[in-house]
Amino acid sequence: MPSILTIIRRPTEAFEALARSETDPLAVFFKQIVWLALAPPVFAFIGASAFGWRLGAAQPLYLSGDVLTQISIAYFFALLFGLVSTAFVGRWMAPTYGASDALGTHLALVGVVATPLVAGSVLHLFPHVFVNLLVLIPALIWSIYLLYKGLPIALGTGPERGMLMASSLVAYLLVGAVTLLGLTVALWASGIGPSIGV
């Protein structure tokens, strides 16, 4: 796994190293993916416990420790599912685009691409919605840039096919994000979720 500084300063070098390496999927999962999925919920739990969620000029929203724990666990599993499923979807579509179908490489690629977002999630320690958006939107743009730049290099396919495959993965992630939002709203509307008193 390339370091964060290598990913930021020399992304091409990081992706070339991924392409050359024989990556064990279980090693990548336990040494990289689990920790990437764990960091944002831990930051969010600490920040929400200490400061509450801030939505503009309104008073901070404090939730009980039990509710925060449940939300953080759900957040962790949603991120874990997103990272792993993206790697499996990428592996599934790899033959179509003439790319490598090595699961370990796909997991490592997803981990590298997610790194800017995970680094930006440090702002969850001060959970103000607008402050978080100011950092996470550029981090998301950087992650998408890394996906388009790195996928052809790491998976050994041509730039045109790599662009199409990266676009397919972005479409999958967008559908997943919208589905998760819809599911969250449906569960909350049916009474499953934290109750907020006004």
Side-chain angles (χ1 to χ4, degrees):
M1 168 66 182
S3 69
I4 293 177
L5 286 178
T6 303
I7 293 168
I8 291 171
R9 295 172 62 191
R10 299 185 303 278
T12 302
E13 182 181 312
F15 291 119
E16 287 171 350
L18 280 182
R20 290 190 303 267
S21 65
E22 293 287 331
T23 312
D24 177 37
L26 285 177
V28 175
F29 179 79
F30 287 108
K31 292 181 180 177
Q32 179 184 359
I33 299 297
V34 168
W35 298 104
L36 288 172
L38 185 62
V42 168
F43 294 147
F45 180 86
I46 294 169
S49 298
F51 302 107
W53 274 100
R54 296 166 188 270
L55 309 168
Q59 290 295 318
L61 174 64
Y62 288 95
L63 299 172
S64 70
D66 289 343
V67 170
L68 283 176
T69 301
Q70 292 169 12
I71 291 172
S72 297
I73 291 170
Y75 189 10
F76 167 72
F77 282 111
L79 289 176
L80 192 63
F81 176 79
L83 292 168
V84 172
S85 67
T86 301
F88 274 99
V89 167
R91 184 188 187 204
W92 169 74
M93 66 175 63
T96 303
Y97 297 100
S100 166
D101 64 351
L103 180 58
T105 305
H106 281 268
L107 281 169
L109 175 65
V110 167
V112 169
V113 168
T115 297
L117 283 168
V118 173
S121 74
V122 170
L123 262 294
H124 286 351
L125 290 170
F126 181 70
H128 191 294
V129 171
F130 299 117
V131 173
N132 276 249
L133 285 177
L134 286 175
V135 172
L136 290 175
I137 288 175
L140 177 62
I141 292 168
W142 183 255
S143 286
I144 292 172
Y145 165 77
L146 288 176
L147 178 64
Y148 278 94
K149 182 175 183 66
L151 188 144
I153 299 169
L155 300 182
T157 188
E160 297 83 7
R161 286 184 168 194
M163 185 189 74
L164 291 172
M165 185 174 175
S167 299
S168 299
L169 286 174
V170 169
Y172 166 74
L173 290 168
L174 286 173
V175 169
V178 171
T179 303
L180 183 61
L181 285 174
L183 182 61
T184 303
V185 169
L187 289 173
W188 207 327
S190 65
I192 301 171
S195 57
I196 301 171
V198 180

